[in-house]
Amino acid sequence: MSYSTLLFDIDDTLLDFHATENRALELLFEKHGIELTDTVKDNYVKFNQSLWKKLELGEISRQELMTNRFTTFFKKEFDLNIDGLSLNREYLEFLSTGTDTIPGAKDLLSTLKKSGHKLYVVTNGIDFVQERRLRNTGFNSFFDDIFISQKIGYQKPDARFFKNVFNELSEFNPDDTLIVGDSLTSDIQGGHNANIDSIWYNPKLSPIDKKITPTYQVSNLQDILQIVG
């Protein structure tokens, strides 16, 4: 099959969120004079990921996540009462300065753009953070449009997220539209919910969840070129 319309997740698909998150946490903890050990960092990452999973499932709101994640974490980890909303604003500002990319991502987008594919971003996240990171890396120039969950009002994998995206596309055909992402629960399940094909970017060769099966799987971004036609 060939696909003319490609929907790209960005975090850990095109942009290296792990590296950017790591630096943002270091800057945040340094600013407040708190030691950031590897254990503390790992605990935060696991805790934060659990909150985003709850947001995907509709168990908490975005405002609850933004307001409470640092308040809850600092109380649990250090028994400190802090202004979580203020720390969250500082953290997002640090996060938005990231320029870390996944190896091969720029070359892939450049090739796809030159070959006439229509490229779109579909990402869960905070609008100013995602938009600034795309500008910082120059990746925004490859995309026809950028769709961010905060602006749309729904998170991937919610079908309503994709319905809003498809309504904005000038020539949408589900048969030649494909979503590319690293998350089975967000991107690949989102593709299922939206009735479009999917590519799971799986560089670590993690096992597939039998409940969520991608149409295709790649461990190297350049392999996408062989799939999309």
Side-chain angles (χ1 to χ4, degrees):
M1 293 187 65
S2 62
Y3 301 89
S4 62
T5 301
L6 307 180
L7 312 179
F8 275 94
D9 171 60
I10 59 173
D11 285 327
D12 292 326
T13 301
L14 300 175
L15 303 184
D16 190 338
F17 180 80
H18 178 74
T20 297
E21 177 186 49
N22 185 67
R23 184 158 45 256
L25 287 172
E26 289 175 350
L27 291 170
L28 180 69
F29 275 66
E30 180 182 354
K31 179 177 180 178
H32 291 275
I34 300 173
E35 182 181 7
L36 180 63
T37 65
D38 289 341
T39 298
V40 170
K41 189 183 299 181
D42 289 344
N43 289 345
Y44 170 78
V45 169
K46 291 175 183 177
F47 174 67
N48 187 51
Q49 288 176 344
S50 73
L51 293 180
W52 280 96
K53 292 296 181 186
K54 289 182 179 181
L55 181 59
E56 285 180 13
L57 295 171
E59 296 176 359
I60 61 174
S61 68
R62 180 184 304 278
Q63 187 59 40
E64 288 174 314
L65 190 156
M66 295 291 111
T67 302
N68 298 327
R69 65 173 165 182
F70 283 109
T71 302
T72 303
F73 181 76
F74 272 73
K75 182 64 177 178
K76 180 179 179 180
E77 195 74 21
F78 305 110
D79 196 26
L80 291 175
N81 295 313
I82 54 94
D83 183 350
L85 194 56
S86 176
L87 256 70
N88 189 69
R89 285 194 294 266
E90 294 171 353
Y91 167 74
L92 292 178
E93 187 64 32
F94 290 137
L95 197 68
S96 72
T97 64
T99 57
D100 307 284
T101 64
I102 299 296
K106 186 173 184 178
D107 289 340
L108 171 67
L109 294 175
S110 179
T111 300
L112 290 170
K113 190 70 174 178
K114 289 177 182 176
S115 62
H117 289 82
K118 298 176 182 177
L119 308 180
Y120 300 91
V121 164
V122 287
T123 177
N124 289 344
I126 307 303
D127 52 7
F128 89 89
V129 173
Q130 304 298 63
E131 289 169 350
R132 188 179 293 176
R133 290 169 66 216
L134 287 167
R135 289 196 305 271
N136 289 346
T137 56
F139 280 20
N140 62 319
S141 63
F142 295 113
F143 294 101
D144 295 276
D145 209 340
I146 296 170
F147 300 100
I148 303 174
S149 60
Q150 184 182 21
K151 288 186 175 181
I152 289 180
Y154 300 103
Q155 296 275 131
K156 295 179 300 180
D158 195 318
R160 291 171 292 184
F161 174 94
F162 292 94
K163 183 178 180 180
N164 277 269
V165 170
F166 298 156
N167 286 340
E168 294 297 320
L169 304 189
S170 57
E171 299 178 4
F172 170 65
N173 180 349
D175 293 332
D176 62 20
T177 300
L178 183 78
I179 183 171
V180 182
D182 70 296
S183 171
L184 285 173
T185 58
S186 175
D187 305 311
I188 307 309
Q189 184 61 53
H192 280 298
N193 294 346
N195 296 311
I196 59 173
D197 288 349
S198 60
I199 295 178
W200 183 30
Y201 174 53
N202 181 19
K204 296 181 179 179
L205 300 178
S206 301
I208 292 179
D209 184 338
K210 294 181 180 179
K211 297 179 182 179
I212 309 174
T213 304
T215 313
Y216 311 97
Q217 178 182 180
V218 300
S219 59
N220 186 309
L221 287 178
Q222 291 302 312
D223 292 340
I224 292 173
L225 296 173
Q226 301 173 23
I227 296 172
V228 301

